[in-house]
Each structure stands twice: as C-alpha cells, then as structure tokens.
C-alpha cells in the first residue's frame, strides 16, 4: 500500500476488557505498570530509523479508541503491533480488526506470551492478525518492517506461507545482548512517570517506576508460562543497570524503582557490583526486587539494604510442602522461613507471593498456607488465583486435575477458572478471602500500615482517595470480573 508510511508502527497495549469496567477495576487503581516491553521495542526500532509510537489502552481506557482512530487517520502507519496476554488477546483481536477497517492495507501483528505459546495454531481463527511474533520482538519486528517480502524466512514469526498453510518460521537461536539495547522509550508513554503507579504500600517514594534488568528464568515451575524467553536467562551488567537508574532519575525524577525481573539476584556478582556502584556514587534512590530464597544470603542482603533495597518479593506459592513439591523444584519451607527472617533482620520489607487453586489443592492445604503465612514476619501479601496459561507445563494436562473453563478474557489470575478436583469455586473464593483477611487482621500488620504514614505517605494519599473500592475488595474480591 503506497499511501501508508512503511517506516511507521503503532504499538498497542490493549486493556483486555470493556473500557466501561475500567473505573471499577481495583487492580488498575492499585497497580498500573508501564508497558515496558513495548517501550523497549519502540526504542530499538527508532534507533534503527523506524518511527514507533505507543498507545497504552490500559492507562487511558476511555480515550484509547479515539486516539487509535486519530493516529491511523493522520499518520497512516503501515504497521500496527499488539502486545497481549491471554486475558487481553481477544481485545487485541477486536482492535486489530478495527485498525483494518480504519486503514485497509495496514499490517497487523501480535506478540506476547499468549501468541508465543499458541503460535500458528491461532492464525486461522483470528484473521484480524497477519502475523504473530513469537518470543522476543525487537529483531523480528525490525526485520519484518525492513523487508516484508522476507517474512517467511524471518525467524520468530507465525504466518501464512505461499501454499496457504499456517506455519512458524522457527525460534531465534541467539538472544539479544541486553547491554546493547537502548533504554526503553519511556518518553513515548503519555504522562510518564505520573500516569503509572506501583502497588499501593509497595514503595517509599514517588515518582517511581518498574524497570526490567534481565530476561527469562532458568527454573521450570509447573504453573509458569515461559514461552517468550523460553529457558534462557540473560541480564544487564551492573554498570548498565547503574546508568539506567541514573537516566531514570535525571530525566524523569524517578526516586524508586521496582525491578520487574523474575530472578534479580540470580547472578550474585552482578548484584554485588551494582550495590558497590550505588555505594560509591549514591543516586539516593530505593528499589524493590523479586528473588528465589536460594539466591540470597546475609552478606548480599546487607549490601542490598545499604544500596537502597526497600522491599523483596518471594514466590512462596503454598505453605503445604507436599503440594508445592508437585509443582516446583527444591521445596524446603523451613529454609524459606529462615530466609524471610533473614530479610527482615536486614531491615528490608518482605512481600510474600502465594497462589490458591493449584492442582492438588484442598481446603486443608490452603489452611496450611494461611497458617504458614501467619507464622512468618511478612509485610505485604499477594495471593494469585491459579490460572493454567497456555505455555505453562500444566496447561496440556490440566483437565486431568479438575475442571478448567478456558475463557481467555477471564484468565487474569483474578478469578478461578480452574477448580481442582474435590473443590468448588465458592470454597476457593471463601478461602481466598480468608487468606487476605487473616493477614490484614493481624495487629502487627495494622500497626505496620500506620508506620507507612511516615514511610510511604504517597500510598496513604492513594489509599484514602480510593477507600471505598479497597473496602469493597476486602469484602468481595475484585469487581473487574463483574462487568
Ligand atoms: S515461577 Fe518464578 S522461579 Fe518458577 S519458572 Fe516462573 S519465573 Fe522461574
């Protein structure tokens, strides 16, 4: 199509549900993360002479469609790319079809975990998309935009071949060297950083942001979909990471960063060097990160605390050792408890990440998890409702373990789409509420939140402004699904 701008792409982060429900979505109010993957791709493409913009429907649900239409009509990009999870995929399909209606000839593509897991199998049912980008998007997207006629041999694409068959062109063998990448194009996110917010009470200072410093995870838990990065684990060097934080501070005034890595401390030397850099040339910033219990120790934690570490998240998942050992490697709940105490002793807050509803879950196993939670000095809690995502090891055989309602828009870990054998949805919902209520009713937790008046005043302002929604959540769970 000659009249379209072949060098331009609009990158879209779909909301995933009806825009009218966004106002009632407590998850959005509590946590609105910038689409860092798209911002990274935009920076990569721009560095190579393409023009890329980002439409974040999640941040601006009510105006997103109008903005999409205006952008396509005025700038006439030849390309539009979507980043979708399982729950937002069908919304992406709807917007891709709309884009084709507005601008016939535009080429539509979609990346993210859902299409990376299901690849060419999705093409026939979703003709709104011309291509699926499987795995990391930067190089695949650039090569496709540069030489569209070479698409069949461009690695990392699911597409229709000349014979009219849906095919996958194969994985990219070598992952990108992360230190060679430009910083994400944060400036292309409207209102960054103020538009976005970390979970309430999860940070000491604002403005703040999430930041990614590695890709992948070498473990293989049964419930985890690793289709995008597969088994690889790559990371930025400590020096790059320091420069990244310095940039965020100097350009956007960021005062706290949440590292959105699966395994921030996996490489011990990197963490030590990063802490030494922050110690030698302080940026007066704080940070959070997520770790596995076996990848922290007292010396490392002391260095991290000194360097500004404010909170550490630990994927605990369950307090039932037998259940947990069916789903992940190296289960030792006593060791996990020791590590939680160690983090607290260092003066770093601890966030416990739990999951309810795994295959094999029973009322007693959830109660064991709740008792385990109560036995630990955990400050913050997140309980996910187990969801068997395409691409996770459990997905293929999930029907053996219970009833699975594969309704993609509802697969966002906020409703029980899988019911383990012997349980009911009502029971799971009751136990889920009991989990949170047990945590929040502990006097030490209430006291802890009072101290947040001093340690995270911005969180309190947000909490008071949204009090009604939070109380509603405490009584009935999230209302997004009531749409
Ligand atoms: S759950 Fe965490 S540790 Fe397990 S595979 Fe996924 S990212 Fe890795």
């Amino acid at each position: 199509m000659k009249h379209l701008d072949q060098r331009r792409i609009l990158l879209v982060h779909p909301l995933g549900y009806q825009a009218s429900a966004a106002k009632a979505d407590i998850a959005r109010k509590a946590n609105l993360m910038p689409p860092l993957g798209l911002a990274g791709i935009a920076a990569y493409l721009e560095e190579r002479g393409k023009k890329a913009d980002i439409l974040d429907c999640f941040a601006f649900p009510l105006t997103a469609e109008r903005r999409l239409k205006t952008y396509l009509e005025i700038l006439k990009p030849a390309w539009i790319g979507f980043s979708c999870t399982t729950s937002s995929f069908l919304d992406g399909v709807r917007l891709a079809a709309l884009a084709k209606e507005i601008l016939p000839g535009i080429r539509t593509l979609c990346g993210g975990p859902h299409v990376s897991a299901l690849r060419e199998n999705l093409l026939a049912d979703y003709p709104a998309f011309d291509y699926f980008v499987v795995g990391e998007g930067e190089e695949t997207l650039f090569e496709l935009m540069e030489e569209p006629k070479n698409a069949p041999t461009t690695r990392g694409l699911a597409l229709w071949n000349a014979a009219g068959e849906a095919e996958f062109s194969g994985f990219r063998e070598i992952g990108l060297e992360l230190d060679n990448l430009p910083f994400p194009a944060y400036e292309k996110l409207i209102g960054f950083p103020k538009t976005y917010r970390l979970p309430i009470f999860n940070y000491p200072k604002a403005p703040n942001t999430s930041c990614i410093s590695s890709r992948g995870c070498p473990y293989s838990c049964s419930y985890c979909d690793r289709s995008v990065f597969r088994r690889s684990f790559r990371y930025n060097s400590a020096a790059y990471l320091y420069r990244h934080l310095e940039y965020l501070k100097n350009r956007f005034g960021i005062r706290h960063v949440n590292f959105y890595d699966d395994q921030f401390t996996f490489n011990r030397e990197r963490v030590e060097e990063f802490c030494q850099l922050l110690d030698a040339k302080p940026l007066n910033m704080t940070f959070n990160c997520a770790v596995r219990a076996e990848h922290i120790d007292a010396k490392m934690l002391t260095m991290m605390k000194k360097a500004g570490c404010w909170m550490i998240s630990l994927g605990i998942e369950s307090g039932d050792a037998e259940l947990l050992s069916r789903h992940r490697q190296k289960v030792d709940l006593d060791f996990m408890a020791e590590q939680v105490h160690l983090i607290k002793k260092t003066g770093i807050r601890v966030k416990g990440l739990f999951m309810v509803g795994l295959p094999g879950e029973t009322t007693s196993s959830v109660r064991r998890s709740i008792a385990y939670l109560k036995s630990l000095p955990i400050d913050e809690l997140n309980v996910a409702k187990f969801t068997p995502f395409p691409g996770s090891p459990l997905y293929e055989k999930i029907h053996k373990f219970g009833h699975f309602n594969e309704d993609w828009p509802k697969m966002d870990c906020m409703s029980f789409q899988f019911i383990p054998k012997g349980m009911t949805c009502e029971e799971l919902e009751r136990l889920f509420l009991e989990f949170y209520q047990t945590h929040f009713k502990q006097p030490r937790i209430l006291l802890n939140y009072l101290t947040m008046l001093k340690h995270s005043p911005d969180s309190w302002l947000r909490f008071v402004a949204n009090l009604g929604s939070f109380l509603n959540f405490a009584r009935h769970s999230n209302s997004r699904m009531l749409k």
Side-chain angles (χ1 to χ4, degrees), residues 2 143 200 394 452:
K2 281 205 180 92
E143 288 173 20
I200 218 157
L394 272 173
M452 285 292 118

Side-chain angles (χ1 to χ4, degrees), residues 92-94 96-98 100 107-109 123 125-130:
V93 171
R94 184 184 67 81
L98 181 67
K100 279 184 180 279
R107 270 164 290 187
T108 54
L109 42 95
L123 278 166
D125 288 337
Y126 302 101
F129 286 120
D130 299 315

Side-chain angles (χ1 to χ4, degrees), residues 9 11 36-48 50-54 138 141 182-185 188:
I9 184 166
L11 299 166
L36 295 175
L38 289 183
I41 289 174
Y44 183 89
L45 293 176
E46 291 251 330
E47 199 179 59
R48 284 156 184 78
K50 307 294 179 200
K51 290 177 273 182
D53 284 299
I54 300 170
E138 286 91 346
L141 210 44
F183 299 141
K188 290 186 179 286

Side-chain angles (χ1 to χ4, degrees), residues 80 114 117 168 212 239 259 271 300 348 361 443:
I80 185 165
H114 188 71
F168 173 48
I212 297 173
F259 287 111
V271 178
M300 180 197 265
I348 298 173
E361 189 87 272

Side-chain angles (χ1 to χ4, degrees), residues 217 219-221 223-224 226 262-263 292:
C217 169
Y219 292 98
S220 53
C221 304
Y223 42 82
C224 187
R226 293 172 310 136
D262 290 326
Q263 300 290 340
R292 254 181 92 116

